[in-house]
Amino acid sequence: YGLKGAVAAVSLFRKDIQNFFGATRSPATLALLADYGLPDDYLDYEVISKANFGEASVEGYELSWRQSLYFFPSWAKGFQVFGNATISRLSGANAADFTPFAHKNLNWGASYIRKAFTFKFNVAYTYKVTGARVAPSATIPVDTFLYVAPQITQDVSFEYRFAKRFTVYGGARNFNGAPKRTYRAGPGTPNWTKPQTIQNFGTLVTLGLRSEF
């Protein structure tokens, strides 16, 4: 729908996926161990590998909105604010093996475009991203998964054309320095044992000069 100074949209989707990469689990038989050149000491183990298999479906909806701030004074015209959200649900016989998968993704921000100058600010929120299944053991219950905790990142970028053929540009990705936190959780997992790793990638800063001939 086109509104005065704005564009809003709502969409529904469904995706049926087949033969994606998933983990296969097989008992370590004598024949299988022979194929891998391993001794029979591993007969009580399971062999986990990757293969194309399975079926899953992703369905959900998307919402988006973009507003031009045309009612601002003339010096401020060129400002826009925006927001969009994707909410989805995973189902199917092999849904648990379709990883990584995030059920919610939200983005919002603002931009300024005026003559030779462009500035963009974006905030991205990613809900918990389900990762790979963890092999069960004496201390790890069945249906234990790795996942990345919810994360908010902020990005900024700009471009300035200071001559007919030359543009200077730059940006900072994740300038708020949000870390990536990986957890492991399964049935009955105590909260204090869930954290696995915290990775601080810092901020990626770029600055360059582009020319066109």
Side-chain angles (χ1 to χ4, degrees), residues 161-178:
R161 184 184 293 271
F162 61 90
K164 183 178 179 180
R165 299 182 182 275
F166 294 93
T167 301
V168 62
Y169 65 91
R173 296 190 61 182
N174 191 31
F175 78 85
N176 58 318

Side-chain angles (χ1 to χ4, degrees):
Y1 292 93
L3 309 174
K4 190 172 183 179
V7 176
V10 179
S11 61
L12 304 176
F13 64 87
R14 177 183 172 89
K15 301 175 182 179
D16 295 318
I17 305 151
Q18 294 181 338
N19 294 325
F20 52 84
F21 276 120
T24 61
R25 309 173 64 89
S26 305
T29 63
L30 287 174
L32 187 59
L33 292 175
D35 290 340
Y36 285 103
L38 296 173
D40 58 7
D41 298 341
Y42 297 98
L43 279 175
D44 293 331
Y45 286 75
E46 284 187 321
V47 177
I48 302 174
S49 61
K50 289 283 188 178
N52 290 97
F53 75 99
E55 297 181 353
S57 296
V58 180
E59 57 187 20
Y61 59 91
E62 296 178 340
L63 309 173
S64 65
W65 167 71
R66 183 176 294 273
Q67 174 73 56
S68 297
L69 305 183
Y70 66 92
F71 43 81
F72 272 28
S74 59
W75 61 267
K77 289 182 178 179
F79 274 107
Q80 286 188 341
V81 293
F82 70 90
N84 59 70
T86 302
I87 311 298
S88 55
R89 184 176 67 91
L90 185 62
S91 61
N94 306 103
D97 296 300
F98 187 77
T99 58
F101 182 77
H103 296 274
K104 298 177 185 177
N105 289 282
L106 309 178
N107 290 273
W108 64 92
S111 64
Y112 178 71
I113 302 174
R114 190 68 181 268
K115 295 182 179 179
F117 181 72
T118 300
F119 176 82
K120 296 181 180 180
F121 170 71
N122 184 77
V123 180
Y125 168 76
T126 303
Y127 185 64
K128 181 179 75 174
V129 180
T130 304
R133 189 193 300 267
V134 181
S137 66
T139 58
I140 301 175
V142 177
D143 290 333
T144 296
F145 291 85
L146 292 173
Y147 67 89
V148 178
Q151 184 183 49
I152 295 179
T153 57
Q154 301 174 7
D155 304 332
V156 294
S157 64
F158 77 92
E159 288 189 2
Y160 176 62
R161 184 184 293 271
F162 61 90
K164 183 178 179 180
R165 299 182 182 275
F166 294 93
T167 301
V168 62
Y169 65 91
R173 296 190 61 182
N174 191 31
F175 78 85
N176 58 318
K180 178 181 179 182
R181 296 172 294 146
T182 303
Y183 286 66
R184 184 178 70 189
T189 303
N191 288 332
W192 62 273
T193 65
K194 291 180 180 180
Q196 297 296 298
T197 60
I198 298 178
Q199 297 171 286
N200 288 293
F201 297 105
T203 301
L204 176 62
V205 178
T206 58
L207 184 64
L209 177 67
R210 183 172 64 246
S211 62
E212 300 175 4
F213 297 95

